[in-house]
Every structure is written in C-alpha cells, then in structure tokens.
Amino acid sequence: MSNLLENAPGKKVLLMGNEALVRGAYEAGLNFACSYPGTPSSEVGTLLFKLQARAPFRMEFGANEKVSMEAAAGAAMAGLYSLTSMKHVGLNVAADPLGTLTYIGVKGALVIYNADDPSLFSSQNEQDNRHYCRLFGLPLFEPSSAQEMKDMTVAAFRLSHELGMPVMLRSTTRVAHLRGVVELGEVTPPLSPVHVEKDHSTVSLPVNAIRMHRELLERLEQARSRSNASPFNFTRGPENAPFGIVASGIGYAYAADAVSSLGLEHQVAIFRPGLSYPEPDEALLAFLRGKKKVLVVEELEPIMENFLRALAQKAGVSVEIGGKGVARLSPLYEYDSEIVREAVASFFNVDCSPALPPDLTDRPKLPVRPPNLCPGCPHRASYYAAKKATAGQDVLFPNDIGCYALGFGAPLRMADTILCMGASASLPCGLEQATKHTGQKLLSFIGDSTFFHSGMTGLANAVYNGHKYTLVILDNQVTAMTGHQPSFAIDPENDERAAMAGLTPIDAEAVVKALGVSHVQVVKPSNLKKMEAAVREALDYDGLSVIIAREPCPLHHKRQGDRKKHPVFAVDQEKCDQCRICIREYGCPAFQPEGERITIDPTQCSGCAVCVQVCPRQAIRPKK
C-alpha cells in the first residue's frame, strides 16, 4: 500500500510537495476530487486517480478546469469535502464559476489547489494568482515546505468548512516539486453522503447576490481574525531585531538561508505569512513596529510589499520597506538562494561575496538540447506529412497547448500561433477575415484532450458562422504532456486505469460530425502517403474540414506494458548517400550523426517505421 494511505500518525516519510498535498487531503477526509492536469500541479490528480482504488474517495479528470471547479463545488455545496487542482492558467479557465462561488459558499469544504509557474518552465505565460484571492475573496495558504503542504491542506479543509467558503492553497514550481520529510498525521474518515436540502437563498440571482456579497465580506473578516492568530504566520529570530524580512512560499527558505549565511541572525527577524490572505494585519503591524528596514521577498508581483507600505502609512509607522528593485529582486521569473542572498546583503548593507561559479574552462560546451517530440511520436509524422502536403503553398499553422506544441521547433516549424487551450479552433475564425481574399490557407492543430477541453466550442463557432479552415485533431488517446493522464478519447482496452475507473471514451469523429462538420477524415499518421493525401484533400475542400490523426502514444503504450515486439531499424551505410533528410526535415531524435555517417540509436528507436517512408534512398531497414 502507498504510504500516502497509511494511517500511521507520527511516521516520517519523504514526499514531493504535490504528494504531501494529496496526503493532506486524505488526512482531512476527502470525499471527491476533480481536476484537469497542468504542470506543476499534475501529480495531484494523477496520484488521486491512482489511489482511489484503495481509498474511500472518488477522483475524476474533468473536461477542463471550469468543469472541474464546478463539479468540486457541487460536492462541497452538498456538504462533502472536495478538492480541485490546476496550474495558474487553468484558474483563468475556472475563474467564471469561482467569482460567484465565493458568494454562494459551501456547506462541506472546498480546497482549490493552484500551482503558479514562475520562470515559465512549462507554461505560455507567467502570472501571480494571489490576485484571484483578492479579486473574488477567498482565504489563501502559501506553504514553504513539503510538511507545510500537508499541514496547510488539512488546515485549508478545516477553515473552508468552519467559515463555509472555498479556500485556495497556492504553490509554485519549486514548492510543488521539492522533496522533504513529512510527519504523517491522523486520518479523518470522510463524511457520508447526505440528502441535499433545498436552499433558495443561495441561488445567485440579484435578489440574493446583493446580500451574499455582504456576507462574503463578513466571512473574510472572520478569516482575517483567523489569519492574525494562525500558527502558519510566525516570526523567526529576535523580536527586538532592528531589521526584518517578510517572505512567503519558497522565498522564506531562501531568506532564512541568506540570514544564516550572512551572519545576521541577531539583527534580522523574518515574518513568514503562511495564511497570507486575508493579510494578518495586526501581526504584520506588530512586526513592523520598531524596525528600521524591512525587506519583502515574494516571487512575481509586489502584492505583500504594496500592502505593507499602505499598512505602515495608515498606522503612522516609520519604516523603510524594500522589495522589487533591490539588487536582482524583480517581478520577472523565479528567485533562487543567490538572488535573495544578494538582495538581503544589499538592503542591509553587509558584505556579500558572490558565489563563485565552477571553473568549466577545461570542459567541452554542452550541446543545446531543446524539448523534442519523442521517438515514434505520431505527431511528428502528422506534421511531416502536413508540411509536405503544403509545400509551395501559403499556409498559416495555428497551434495549441500540449505535446504537439513542440512542432514549433526545427526542423518541423509547424506552429505560427500558440495562445491558450482550444485557441487553434477559434483563432482561425478571425484569421480567416484577413486571409479570405489573399489565397492564404489555414491549417490548425489541436490534441484530443485539448479538443475536449475547449476546442469543441471554437469548432461549433466555425460551423455556425460558416468559416473555412482545416483542423487536425492529433488524437493519441491520452493526455500525454502532463504525465499520461486519461483523455476523453482514451481506449479502455489499452489502458487498465480507464477500465478500472469505468471510463467511457468519446469518439472525436462522432462529436465533430454532430457539430455539423461534413468533411471529416480519420487517418493513421504513420502512413505518410495517406496523411499527406488527407491534408491536400482537406485544404482543397471549399469549407470547414477536419482530419482526425489517430494513433496511440507509443510511450504511454510502453508504460502500460505493451509486450508486442517492435522491430528496431538501422541505416544501411552502403545505400545511404548522406542526404540527411532524416535529420534536416524529419528530425526524429533516434537519428544520431557520427562523423560523416548517420546511425539510429537502438535504445531510442520505437520501431514506428515512419523513417523508412521518409528516406528517399530506402536505406533504412529493420535491424537483424
């Protein structure tokens, strides 16, 4: 049994931040969870989905973040303990229900886990979702360690239930993916399903919403009292220290290291806001009093910094407050220990010798290694065939969010726009207005999971308004980029998780036809000739057309225990004339240049045989 499900209070285990959150939800008495995967939050949904077979809770992957939020809200409004998790841009999708849900409140408990991504490691933008708590009015926890991820999750469920309102727990990439020792707590059995009593006073129409807004503000004031007394808001260091630091999230760990390494333990106290909204104003004001200078360490936006300036001014406290602009503290990207150390030294006027980088002058320069589509990925075959089919034509390629976004890289270059989930089905509706009289064509790409997430509405819009473009649905039957979570197009016969959970796959072809698209083709992309012909036919069609490029993700198949023997291919050096089309145009990472020779790495070759079709000299054959 997973240690995440052990009822062993006091036992210490090593957990990832996201694993600790899952444990915290289990300890709190989780009934129901619904989420859409998105890095750096993906492990939460994946783990809950896996653990539910041996746990008393139900976990579902929602069609998108809005659906997930609403499903989790339904359970919480009916009296259950529920959880939804998503990355920062996912909360943009879920913002519509969240804005009114805080008015309605909950009878059980609802915890919203939001994972921000400073430095954009796996995201199309960088945003600070602490703003959502202030915009809509919900308490916010910000953990700094794996232990706090668990403890704050339990506390968030308790606070949500006691105040009758949703609560957000926000992490960043470093906190979500760090590992630390976690002491397990007591497991609370989940609540039993109850009969839902009707309550028309919570129907969010103006007659009720006017009152509900006032009640929300009253709940927030109760939450502020809890924040001022919360053990998650604490001071480290001497109370009479002349200097101070206010640091949240992973910034607290960096600040503590900086104070220690600079020998400032007796001069600098650190205030860590863990239950950071509503702000613990009384505790923060008590911390500011008597301080000469206070530095705020928070990644991304200066939210706490601006609050402290206003708090000090209103209370007449004379203290110098620094933050963004001190040394390398910036609203851009994530911090690290050296950035914070330099800022602490600069702000408090102490010597700081910069860390010396390792001497690598005698080491060869590492090659650039950009993200790449996996060997055997059917998306590469789709892109290669589409590129050949459109050669010599003026074609725009709107693309979307998922593995297939890697088609942007050389040598494929099959992405001219990437905006947000589902946009590749909607953007062409506007792009067509600029291109309809120029002869320029539109060939869009979207994944199966993204299509069901938010692509269907764009396609419906295109049908309704009579737009003309081609949409290629890259159907690999799994949500691959975020860790191979089930997609709505998943085949239960090839995925035991889906079969155990009783999932019913949805046929994208049937959905597309039901939306009113008359020109629909289903193609296996590893057959390059058929895929190329399908693209040509679709682009020549006078109207809206859809191609479903359907072939399972080979990496997922392998992880599922695919025992089928696939041949490994090799280059016949006698036939190879070094044209390098396999590298310059197709670009499968299994190909390895060795001096003047091209070889295939047998450990990477998936046996898809697409390269056999790519090579004009027929120099690629199964290896004996």
Side-chain angles (χ1 to χ4, degrees):
M1 182 175 71
S2 169
N3 55 21
L4 295 177
L5 297 181
E6 285 187 77
N7 192 4
K11 181 177 179 179
K12 294 183 178 180
V13 294
L14 184 66
L15 297 179
M16 179 194 287
N18 284 342
E19 292 175 327
L21 182 136
V22 168
R23 171 66 189 191
Y26 179 58
E27 286 186 9
L30 178 68
N31 290 106
F32 176 73
C34 191
S35 69
Y36 187 85
T39 306
S41 75
S42 299
E43 293 86 2
V44 171
T46 302
L47 282 167
L48 289 170
F49 188 79
K50 178 181 178 182
L51 294 172
Q52 68 177 327
R54 302 190 178 201
F57 55 75
R58 167 73 175 174
M59 191 278 162
E60 298 176 356
F61 283 107
N64 59 30
E65 294 86 358
K66 178 180 184 290
V67 169
S68 300
M69 178 76 74
E70 291 162 348
M77 290 164 67
L80 300 182
Y81 275 33
S82 65
L83 170 74
T84 185
S85 60
M86 60 202 69
K87 68 184 295 175
H88 63 295
V89 287
L91 195 56
N92 297 340
V93 181
D96 189 8
L98 181 59
T100 303
L101 180 59
T102 53
Y103 276 38
I104 297 173
V106 297
K107 289 184 171 63
L110 173 60
V111 173
I112 300 157
Y113 175 50
N114 167 92
D116 284 1
D117 189 21
S119 287
L120 304 89
F121 290 103
S122 56
S123 308
Q124 68 269 38
N125 81 345
E126 185 179 45
Q127 65 187 49
D128 192 330
N129 278 5
R130 292 179 295 171
H131 284 299
Y132 273 117
C133 297
R134 289 150 179 82
L135 176 63
F136 293 141
L138 64 161
L140 171 65
F141 285 88
E142 291 188 79
S144 302
S145 66
Q147 181 70 55
E148 288 186 342
M149 281 284 271
K150 182 195 77 73
D151 294 342
M152 287 189 182
T153 301
V154 175
F157 274 102
R158 300 288 181 261
L159 184 64
S160 176
H161 182 69
E162 290 167 9
L163 296 183
M165 62 193 307
V167 172
M168 182 187 290
L169 191 145
R170 176 216 184 223
S171 77
T172 57
T173 304
R174 293 297 160 195
V175 178
H177 290 163
L178 59 75
R179 289 191 180 273
V181 175
V182 176
E183 183 175 328
L184 304 183
E186 189 76 36
V187 175
T188 302
L191 299 171
S192 299
V194 295
H195 181 268
V196 180
E197 301 296 332
K198 293 185 179 184
D199 183 2
H200 293 142
S201 67
T202 61
V203 177
S204 53
L205 291 174
V207 64
N208 288 325
I210 294 171
R211 167 187 49 79
M212 291 156 71
H213 190 192
R214 181 181 68 252
E215 292 173 349
L216 168 61
L217 297 179
E218 292 170 354
R219 288 195 296 268
L220 281 173
E221 281 309 305
Q222 294 178 51
R224 189 181 302 279
S225 298
R226 305 292 183 89
S227 179
N228 275 302
S230 173
F232 295 117
N233 297 331
F234 59 82
T235 299
R236 167 177 171 168
E239 293 184 7
N240 58 351
F243 305 120
I245 296 175
V246 176
S248 59
I250 197 64
Y252 168 70
Y254 297 151
D257 285 347
V259 168
S260 176
S261 67
L262 294 170
L264 295 173
E265 296 96 328
H266 301 297
Q267 297 175 269
V268 177
I270 305 175
F271 187 96
R272 204 295 304 274
L275 176 48
S276 62
Y277 185 80
E279 297 93 348
D281 51 359
E282 295 174 7
L284 283 168
L285 191 58
F287 180 78
L288 292 180
R289 293 188 189 279
K291 298 287 189 296
K292 297 177 182 177
K293 303 173 77 173
V294 171
L295 179 67
V296 183
V297 178
E298 56 184 333
E299 291 179 322
L300 300 179
E301 298 297 314
I303 294 175
M304 182 58 73
E305 178 184 344
N306 290 341
F307 174 79
L308 289 179
R309 292 181 192 279
L311 182 67
Q313 190 275 335
K314 186 176 181 180
V317 175
S318 179
V319 56
E320 181 183 347
I321 296 174
K324 305 302 177 187
V326 174
R328 290 190 286 157
L329 296 186
S330 164
L332 286 169
Y333 317 133
E334 68 173 4
Y335 293 166
D336 59 33
S337 54
E338 189 59 25
I339 289 174
V340 174
R341 184 169 174 268
E342 290 176 11
V344 171
S346 172
F347 191 68
F348 297 122
N349 300 310
V350 297
D351 292 333
C352 173
S353 300
L356 295 176
D359 184 3
L360 303 176
T361 54
D362 62 338
R363 298 288 188 270
K365 190 174 181 180
L366 291 175
V368 177
R369 189 173 179 267
N372 206 348
L373 292 168
C374 301
C377 177
H379 300 340
R380 184 182 298 279
S382 296
Y383 285 139
Y384 181 77
K387 193 167 186 177
K388 289 193 70 177
T390 57
Q393 301 183 62
D394 190 3
V395 182
L396 281 174
F397 303 118
N399 211 308
D400 224 294
I401 307 295
C403 285
Y404 47 90
L406 299 175
F408 168 75
L412 297 169
R413 289 298 187 197
M414 296 296 284
D416 293 319
T417 66
I418 293 180
L419 178 61
C420 64
M421 298 280 284
S424 64
S426 307
L427 277 174
C429 298
L431 287 171
E432 189 201 7
Q433 300 307 304
T435 62
K436 61 173 25 176
H437 301 303
T438 66
Q440 197 171 34
K441 297 180 179 180
L442 299 167
L443 180 62
S444 286
F445 299 95
I446 193 169
D448 54 300
S449 184
T450 310
F451 174 71
F452 288 111
H453 175 284
S454 50
M456 293 187 294
T457 48
L459 189 63
N461 180 75
V463 172
Y464 178 73
N465 289 294
H467 289 291
K468 178 182 177 181
Y469 69 88
T470 298
L471 179 67
V472 180
I473 300 176
L474 300 164
D475 183 1
N476 63 0
Q477 301 180 332
V478 74
T479 309
M481 177 166 261
T482 52
H484 297 100
Q485 294 84 5
S487 146
F488 277 33
I490 200 164
D491 183 359
E493 292 184 4
N494 295 321
D495 193 309
E496 62 180 24
R497 303 171 306 167
M500 290 176 62
L503 303 183
T504 302
I506 301 176
D507 183 6
E509 180 184 8
V511 171
V512 169
K513 288 181 177 178
L515 288 174
V517 181
S518 56
H519 194 280
V520 184
Q521 302 173 81
V522 181
V523 187
K524 187 176 181 180
S526 60
N527 188 325
L528 293 181
K529 286 186 178 179
K530 287 190 176 181
M531 184 67 193
E532 188 178 336
V535 172
R536 287 199 177 99
E537 181 182 331
L539 288 175
D540 289 341
Y541 178 71
D542 187 20
L544 182 66
S545 58
V546 171
I547 298 170
I548 301 173
R550 180 174 292 155
E551 193 157 357
C553 168
L555 184 59
H556 179 59
H557 249 3
K558 187 175 181 180
R559 287 180 173 179
Q560 288 293 300
D562 181 15
R563 290 182 173 85
K564 182 180 177 181
K565 288 190 175 181
H566 299 279
V568 174
F569 290 83
V571 177
D572 184 337
Q573 299 299 332
E574 292 183 3
K575 283 193 171 186
C576 179
D577 64 358
Q578 303 299 319
C579 70
R580 302 206 168 201
I581 287 175
C582 56
I583 291 179
R584 288 187 294 103
E585 296 184 14
Y586 191 61
C588 176
F591 285 103
Q592 303 290 326
E594 293 183 0
E596 296 299 319
R597 291 159 39 101
I598 302 296
T599 63
I600 296 176
D601 183 349
T603 64
Q604 294 197 60
C605 179
S606 69
C608 68
V610 175
C611 58
V612 176
Q613 305 166 64
V614 170
C615 180
R617 296 285 295 169
Q618 297 182 328
I620 300 174
R621 297 180 176 182
K623 189 175 182 179
K624 295 181 180 179

